[in-house]
Amino acid sequence: MRVDTVPDPVLRRPTDAIVRVTDALVCGSDLWPYRDCPPDRVGSRIGHEFVGVVTDVGAEVSTVAVGDLVLAPFVYSDNTCPLCLKGVHTSCRNGGFWGSGDVDGGQGEAVRVPVADGTLVRLPADAATDDALRRSLLPLTDVLPTGHHAAVSAGVVPGATAVVVGDGAVGLCGVLAASRLGAERVILLGRNESRLEIGRRFGATDVVRERGVAAADAVKELTDGLGADAVLECVGTTDSVATAFAAVRDGGTVGWVGVPHLDKGLPAGAMFGRNVGLRGGVAPVRRYLDELLPEVADGRLDPAPVLDLDVDLDGVPDAYSRMDDRSALKARVRVSAP
């Protein structure tokens, strides 16, 4: 991981906007290429969670203007195609991922935003001067809606028992989301005490420190031998997925948002025999922002505690290293003043 100089972005299409980044985040999913990609002299741009100020707009952009403070979901989308209208913005016919092809990554000084009208969401003007508010709004770019997507996909309803597999930023936001949706009991699986404390603040009623079969057994002990109504899988490894299916009750649902890194298939026979459902996938962040943003803006929902490390652009390589060795939960990159 290195910091380099690249050309300033320019408008290429009348639907583009240019955003000067004020704040960006390093995501747990950024660690997968950090760990797995072979060395590359040229490298590729990275980062998909950012907030900034609009500095230029194309002739056809109408929903944001120069000077607006905006956030960008981790996938850009037009918000109007048939799939967006179905709530699957991550499959937008005109969308894509930051840092792919000729599109800028979000961990940088400026970003060209395609289909800006559908992608960018204006933030409250006072967030420009209120750093604490901006800090709370930043997780809306990815981890808070992703945790929410896990809870919605798992079918969390008032009175339900939910299990969250994973104490990373997404898993902790899954705890917050399950609690917000009315779960009576939220069981968090994890071992890092500082993260578990955030989970308790977010609404976890129980903590399970065991892993694998022992973790699933502990969940069953807490649920009269049944397992949980809803399980939020927020890691994506073979072991974490197996734990999720072992912890869910018969007839329950696993909401899967952990980027999959599996070395064997899903337990299809057990899923079929136990009537266990599986839903989830890449979280359509834009779909949830109209619902979640007002609650964060007025303080009813505060995911800011998942951000436990601040760096500048030069500190990004260290942020990756610290998140990789789990000495940091999630890094905020402070790029420029609003």
Side-chain angles (χ1 to χ4, degrees):
M1 183 59 59
R2 65 179 183 268
V3 180
D4 207 345
T5 299
V6 298
D8 290 340
V10 295
L11 298 173
R12 297 188 181 186
R13 300 177 183 88
T15 52
D16 288 349
I18 305 298
V19 172
R20 174 177 58 80
V21 177
T22 61
D23 305 87
L25 298 175
V26 180
C27 184
S29 64
D30 291 332
L31 297 180
W32 291 112
Y34 173 73
R35 294 165 178 154
D36 297 345
C37 283
D40 185 329
R41 183 181 62 81
V42 177
S44 59
R45 303 185 194 186
I46 198 167
H48 52 257
E49 303 164 284
F50 63 93
V51 164
V53 177
V54 177
T55 59
D56 200 2
V57 296
E60 296 180 13
V61 175
S62 60
T63 62
V64 296
V66 172
D68 285 344
L69 182 69
V70 294
L71 72 76
F74 73 83
V75 172
Y76 62 87
S77 61
D78 62 21
N79 205 27
T80 58
C81 84
L83 290 169
C84 285
L85 295 177
K86 293 289 186 181
V88 195
H89 294 73
T90 48
S91 298
C92 175
R93 290 179 172 179
N94 298 302
F97 289 84
W98 306 109
S100 60
D102 65 352
V103 180
D104 299 305
Q107 291 164 21
E109 292 179 321
V111 176
R112 178 181 69 86
V113 178
V115 287
D117 276 341
T119 300
L120 296 176
V121 177
R122 284 187 295 180
L123 295 177
D126 53 353
T129 54
D130 186 338
D131 186 74
L133 175 58
R134 199 163 66 256
R135 190 180 196 88
S136 296
L137 292 166
L138 273 164
L140 284 165
T141 57
D142 182 346
V143 288
L144 178 58
T146 297
H148 180 70
H149 186 56
V152 170
S153 297
V156 175
V157 294
T161 294
V163 164
V164 178
V165 181
D167 60 3
V170 170
L172 294 173
C173 286
V175 171
L176 189 61
S179 179
R180 173 183 175 273
L181 290 172
E184 182 176 337
R185 197 168 197 178
V186 182
I187 304 169
L188 173 61
L189 274 56
R191 290 185 170 185
N192 183 299
E193 192 54 46
S194 63
R195 299 182 182 196
L196 295 178
E197 181 55 35
I198 295 173
R200 294 185 187 98
R201 290 170 59 187
F202 281 1
T205 57
D206 302 270
V207 165
V208 169
R209 292 178 173 82
E210 291 83 1
R211 292 183 177 177
V213 174
D217 288 345
V219 169
K220 289 178 180 177
E221 287 182 13
L222 292 168
T223 56
D224 297 324
L226 293 175
D229 304 310
V231 176
L232 288 61
E233 200 297 308
C234 302
V235 182
T237 64
T238 298
D239 289 344
S240 65
V241 170
T243 299
F245 281 110
V248 70
R249 68 164 172 81
D250 289 16
T253 303
V254 174
W256 188 3
V257 299
V259 178
H261 284 70
L262 308 183
D263 54 25
K264 63 181 180 180
L266 298 175
M271 292 167 63
F272 182 83
R274 297 175 55 214
N275 283 283
V276 169
L278 173 65
R279 297 184 61 198
V282 186
V285 168
R286 184 64 185 85
R287 165 183 168 186
Y288 298 123
L289 288 182
D290 292 345
E291 175 184 356
L292 297 175
L293 195 156
E295 295 188 25
V296 175
D298 67 14
R300 283 176 287 166
L301 203 59
D302 185 14
V306 301
L307 308 182
D308 64 343
L309 174 65
D310 280 18
V311 299
D312 58 16
L313 271 180
D314 289 334
V316 166
D318 181 59
Y320 274 76
S321 177
R322 291 188 57 185
M323 287 179 60
D324 187 42
D325 68 16
R326 290 176 63 85
S327 62
L329 172 58
K330 189 169 182 66
R332 173 192 185 186
V333 186
R334 305 185 71 159
V335 182
S336 67

